[in-house]
Amino acid sequence: VRPCSPPPYRRGSASHRACLIARYNFIYAKERLEAEAQLRRYFCDLETVQRIIYVAVVESFRSAKCHFWKVKINVKDTLAVCHRGGPSSLEVAVLDYIACHKDLYDVCTSVHEVVCAMNKNRKLPCPGEVDFLVISTLIRELCCLAFSMQTLIPALDIAFGVDGECFNRNMYYRSFDSDFTAPFVAYHVWPALIEDGTVIVKGEVVTKK
């Protein structure tokens, strides 16, 4: 960890939050589709491709958050030595420091962890059928984004969906190939983005009877 005094950062947190949300939407609109195109070379079934990408998003956020907490503990121990404010101001200082020094995060390790987790996921094709590293660019972007989202107060996160759950119109859009009369989620295409329990960006699901 570098010298104790982090630069003034919290004053721009609103614009930083807006940029991260915009980045999440951009990944959904563009980079997700590029990853789909890469996977369609190996799988004809769109459902399989969409399930793979959804798991990639979930695992990317899980890994990034785990690494964030490890980095946060180290930074907090270091800044506490010379910090003059109270616990709450130390917390803000730690988050600001991490936000300004993103290289503290070993994203390559996260990408490896995500690919390994996907290889072990029973809902996805066997590892021999495709190397999930083909979508490593998407995974890397998601990990970096998820890590940065943890520096916000409150942090941004994704909602974890379960196949078979009741469709929630406040949290999800139905995919174009859904049965619009079906009340249950067959599978998830993209997770909703939430902030302190409130949906900020809706996700996408496929509903079928």
Side-chain angles (χ1 to χ4, degrees):
V1 177
R2 300 168 185 78
C4 289
S5 300
Y9 176 82
R10 191 55 51 186
R11 70 183 64 173
S13 59
S15 60
H16 183 56
R17 173 183 177 275
C19 288
L20 293 177
I21 293 174
R23 180 60 183 152
Y24 186 76
N25 287 328
F26 183 81
I27 292 176
Y28 166 76
K30 185 176 186 295
E31 297 178 31
R32 172 185 67 94
L33 298 180
E34 292 175 351
E36 279 190 8
Q38 291 173 321
L39 290 170
R40 289 300 290 267
R41 300 173 185 174
Y42 304 92
F43 304 102
C44 297
D45 182 21
L46 179 60
E47 177 179 337
T48 300
V49 169
Q50 291 177 331
R51 284 183 180 274
I52 290 172
I53 292 177
Y54 181 79
V55 172
V57 180
V58 172
E59 293 297 341
S60 295
F61 268 78
R62 180 179 288 122
S63 178
K65 288 190 295 182
C66 180
H67 281 268
F68 176 83
W69 285 110
K70 293 177 181 178
V71 170
K72 184 180 177 182
I73 290 172
N74 291 333
V75 172
K76 194 170 188 176
D77 288 344
T78 302
L79 294 186
V81 175
C82 56
H83 186 71
R84 297 293 180 266
S88 59
S89 63
L90 175 59
E91 182 77 9
V92 172
V94 169
L95 296 180
D96 287 348
Y97 188 95
I98 298 173
C100 293
H101 299 92
K102 297 183 179 67
D103 57 321
L104 293 171
Y105 175 37
D106 183 6
V107 66
C108 293
T109 299
S110 268
V111 172
H112 176 72
E113 290 174 355
V114 171
V115 172
C116 288
M118 293 174 70
N119 285 335
K120 297 176 182 177
N121 192 305
R122 296 181 179 180
K123 291 185 178 181
L124 301 184
C126 296
E129 296 182 40
V130 62
D131 186 347
F132 293 124
L133 278 174
V134 298
I135 57 171
S136 61
T137 300
L138 174 67
I139 294 172
R140 183 183 183 89
E141 289 298 316
L142 287 167
C143 287
C144 291
L145 178 63
F147 187 87
S148 293
M149 284 180 170
Q150 305 314 302
T151 64
L152 298 174
I153 302 176
L156 293 173
D157 200 358
I158 56 172
F160 298 100
V162 180
D163 291 354
E165 67 178 308
C166 290
F167 172 71
N168 183 347
R169 67 178 65 254
N170 296 319
M171 183 171 288
Y172 300 114
Y173 293 109
R174 296 180 196 261
S175 187
F176 71 94
D177 54 347
S178 294
D179 180 342
F180 281 73
T181 63
F184 301 111
V185 173
Y187 66 92
H188 297 73
V189 176
W190 194 255
L193 189 66
I194 57 176
E195 179 185 63
D196 201 20
T198 301
V199 176
I200 303 300
V201 178
K202 287 185 178 182
E204 180 182 347
V205 296
V206 174
T207 55
K208 294 180 181 178
K209 289 184 179 178

